[in-house]
């Protein structure tokens, strides 16, 4: 105000995650109706993955899927976002879509867990020769992957 007093801060609890801060300037040299909306330009693929992981852990798989889709849309080369999307889709019974996400993650970065999860989804889709090949690839990448070894034994 004219005397130099400022207003107390306002908590923006619905604008950010609990461990994040938001700072919207109170003083803007513009007409009162100049700002119609505030865009989420600060959100990137990593923030969406973080939000999706929190939602997935809390059991809100549908909203987690939405966040992981946003992460992939923001950065299609984020292998972790692709992998998380695949896990969420598989959990929701969307195996064909999960296979696409796991395949993309593995194309981006050759990790044993990506090949293993791809093999598990292929098994769910009853594509057993492809499942076996994916699980064998997981073991070539990491011979210590017990999950891939167990899954492969179940296919024999």
């Amino acid at each position: 105000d004219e005397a130099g007093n400022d207003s107390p801060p306002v908590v923006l609890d619905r604008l950010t995650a609990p461990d994040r801060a938001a700072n919207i300037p109170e003083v803007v040299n513009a007409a009162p109706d100049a700002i119609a909306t505030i865009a989420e330009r600060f959100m990137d693929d990593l923030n969406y993955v973080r939000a999706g992981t929190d939602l997935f852990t809390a059991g809100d798989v549908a909203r987690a899927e939405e966040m992981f889709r946003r992460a992939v849309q923001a950065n299609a080369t984020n292998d972790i976002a692709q992998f998380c999307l695949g896990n969420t889709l598989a959990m929701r019974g969307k195996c064909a879509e999960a296979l696409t996400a796991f395949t993309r993650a593995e194309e981006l970065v050759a990790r044993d867990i990506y090949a293993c999860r791809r093999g598990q989804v292929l098994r769910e889709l009853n594509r057993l020769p492809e499942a076996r090949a994916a699980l064998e690839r997981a073991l070539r990448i990491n011979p210590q992957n017990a999950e891939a070894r167990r899954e492969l034994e179940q296919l024999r």
Side-chain angles (χ1 to χ4, degrees), residues 64-118:
E65 178 186 335
E66 179 185 329
M67 290 297 111
F68 294 135
R69 285 188 187 279
R70 285 185 181 185
V72 167
Q73 185 177 22
N75 180 2
T77 64
N78 183 329
D79 61 299
I80 295 169
Q82 295 282 356
F83 178 72
C84 290
L85 177 60
N87 280 327
T88 305
L89 292 166
M91 184 176 223
R92 300 192 73 201
K94 301 176 181 181
C95 290
E97 286 182 82
L99 177 60
T100 300
F102 289 137
T103 300
R104 180 68 178 133
E106 192 179 356
E107 288 170 353
L108 292 166
V109 178
R111 291 193 177 157
D112 60 313
I113 188 64
Y114 298 172
C116 183
R117 287 296 287 136
R118 188 168 58 85

Side-chain angles (χ1 to χ4, degrees), residues 10-80:
V10 177
V11 177
L12 304 171
D13 61 343
R14 295 181 185 210
L15 192 62
T16 63
D19 61 339
R20 300 285 177 248
N23 188 7
I24 298 175
E26 298 176 36
V27 181
V28 177
N29 188 13
D33 61 349
I35 300 174
T37 60
I38 298 174
E40 292 181 348
R41 283 190 228 128
F42 57 89
M43 292 293 285
D44 63 8
D45 56 314
L46 300 177
N47 288 317
Y48 287 125
V49 167
R50 185 182 300 116
T53 302
D54 290 345
L55 289 164
F56 188 90
T57 302
D60 193 344
V61 182
R63 286 187 51 216
E65 178 186 335
E66 179 185 329
M67 290 297 111
F68 294 135
R69 285 188 187 279
R70 285 185 181 185
V72 167
Q73 185 177 22
N75 180 2
T77 64
N78 183 329
D79 61 299
I80 295 169

